[in-house]
Amino acid sequence: MGRLNGKVAIITGAGSGLGRADAEAMAREGAKLVVTDLNEAAVQETAARINKTAPGTAHAMKHDVSNEQQWLAVLAEAKSRFGGLHVLVNNAGVVRIVNPETCTIEDFRFHMTVMAEGTFIGCKHAIPVMAASGGGSIINMCSTATHLGYSVYFAYAAAKGAIRSMSKSIAMYCQERKLNIRCNTVHPGAIETNMVANASKELGFDMSVLRETPFGLGKPEDIGNVVAFLASDESRFVNGAEIMVDNGCIVQ
Ligand SMILES: NC(=O)c1ccc[n+]([C@@H]2O[C@H](COP(=O)([O-])OP(=O)(O)OC[C@H]3O[C@@H](n4cnc5c(N)ncnc54)[C@H](O)[C@@H]3O)[C@@H](O)[C@H]2O)c1
């Protein structure tokens, strides 16, 4: 009996890295999944990998998280295909290397649109669907950038900070209305994904160097396992929390 049997989840940015690992961990625990990404071929591959061992588990959709109409289509698909929604993982993310002086208005808005607005729109429209399904768990992907100063991730940190704050308001909103919907944030340290490989390259070093730091370089499944726990009823008393998955980085 999987820990997520009978649950339906939407995972954004599931074509790669942490989103794919979240999907694989949740599929192993018995959830039905709508996996979405801007990169259609990549998210189709995620669904194919999952369906190979558990046919009919994952449905892939092309989805730009900053597009409200596309969000409505994704939610409608979860309802019509799998009968409702219990878990939303707002994972899609982008990063550009910009500091407070080099950051353009366009850079700033790009991060805010994809991450802060994308998460907001997803939560806004998922809440009534989850409530009608008996409740659920919203998991919003943040970063250690919400707690530490990273000059070169200036706009990224601003957008993640917005997600951190809105998640607490969402948790309280749902609690006040007794919707049985929890909302938590996950804050990964450095994890081995395309995002970190590309950012490291742009900053002039190889991602493997991060393995030599005191906190090391995590694997995508290190996040997937935590997300599966937050999606499950085992975390029923965890709400409005910030879960650091950084091997102690922010307490250094
Ligand atoms: N890898 C890390 O070390 C790390 C650390 C902290 C936080 N995070 C966060 O985890 C999440 C996943 O990151 P990752 O490392 O797996 O990166 P990644 O680049 O491997 O994956 C991000 C995915 O998001 C998708 N995406 C980008 N813009 C989108 C949009 N507008 N709509 C829908 N999908 C879109 C991309 O196509 C990609 O598949 C991000 O929110 C990131 O900020 C990652």
Side-chain angles (χ1 to χ4, degrees):
M1 173 89 176
R3 293 185 295 166
L4 300 176
N5 274 4
K7 294 199 189 294
V8 179
I10 292 172
I11 305 158
T12 70
S16 167
L18 306 189
R20 177 175 283 178
D22 296 346
E24 290 180 338
M26 291 170 69
R28 273 196 299 277
E29 295 296 340
K32 297 287 188 201
L33 310 174
V34 177
V35 286
T36 81
D37 203 293
L38 196 56
N39 184 335
E40 190 172 12
V43 78
Q44 290 286 0
E45 192 189 324
T46 298
R49 283 162 63 123
I50 291 169
N51 290 332
K52 204 170 160 188
T53 46
T57 294
H59 177 71
M61 289 181 79
K62 181 177 165 69
H63 173 208
D64 178 347
V65 292
S66 63
N67 183 310
E68 190 166 20
Q69 289 310 313
Q70 291 183 20
W71 263 112
L72 296 176
V74 168
L75 287 156
E77 187 67 33
K79 277 196 286 186
S80 64
R81 183 172 290 269
F82 296 126
L85 182 69
H86 309 98
V87 181
L88 171 63
V89 186
N90 282 303
N91 165 81
V94 289
V95 67
R96 289 180 184 167
I97 309 295
V98 286
N99 67 40
E101 289 198 89
T102 59
C103 182
T104 64
I105 297 287
E106 194 274 327
D107 288 327
F108 195 83
R109 286 183 181 152
F110 175 65
H111 290 82
M112 295 305 279
T113 303
V114 175
M115 297 196 287
E117 279 187 33
T119 299
F120 150 60
I121 304 167
C123 293
K124 173 186 167 83
H125 293 297
I127 287 171
V129 184
M130 277 189 174
S133 307
S137 171
I138 298 173
I139 300 151
N140 290 335
M141 202 51 67
C142 279
S143 162
T144 52
T146 52
H147 289 66
L148 300 172
Y150 292 116
S151 58
V152 292
Y153 298 128
F154 167 70
Y156 175 86
K160 291 297 192 188
I163 296 173
R164 177 192 183 195
S165 302
M166 82 171 79
S167 299
K168 295 186 193 310
S169 301
I170 291 165
M172 289 307 100
Y173 172 84
C174 294
Q175 194 182 68
E176 284 157 14
R177 282 160 183 75
K178 302 195 187 322
L179 298 179
N180 192 31
I181 298 171
R182 299 178 288 113
C183 183
N184 295 291
T185 50
V186 172
H187 302 249
I191 313 288
E192 196 170 353
T193 66
N194 292 340
M195 181 182 277
V196 172
N198 294 338
S200 303
K201 199 169 164 195
E202 202 175 329
L203 290 167
F205 61 89
D206 190 86
M207 174 171 67
S208 59
V209 169
L210 296 169
R211 282 199 196 95
E212 311 311 321
T213 68
F215 316 108
L217 184 62
K219 298 270 186 206
E221 57 265 33
D222 294 327
I223 305 303
N225 291 334
V226 173
V227 167
F229 164 71
L230 288 173
S232 80
D233 295 338
E234 290 170 8
S235 58
R236 67 188 178 195
F237 213 57
V238 182
N239 194 12
E242 315 177 342
I243 313 294
M244 314 309 299
V245 193
D246 65 347
N247 200 18
C249 178
I250 73 145
V251 293
Q252 64 185 297

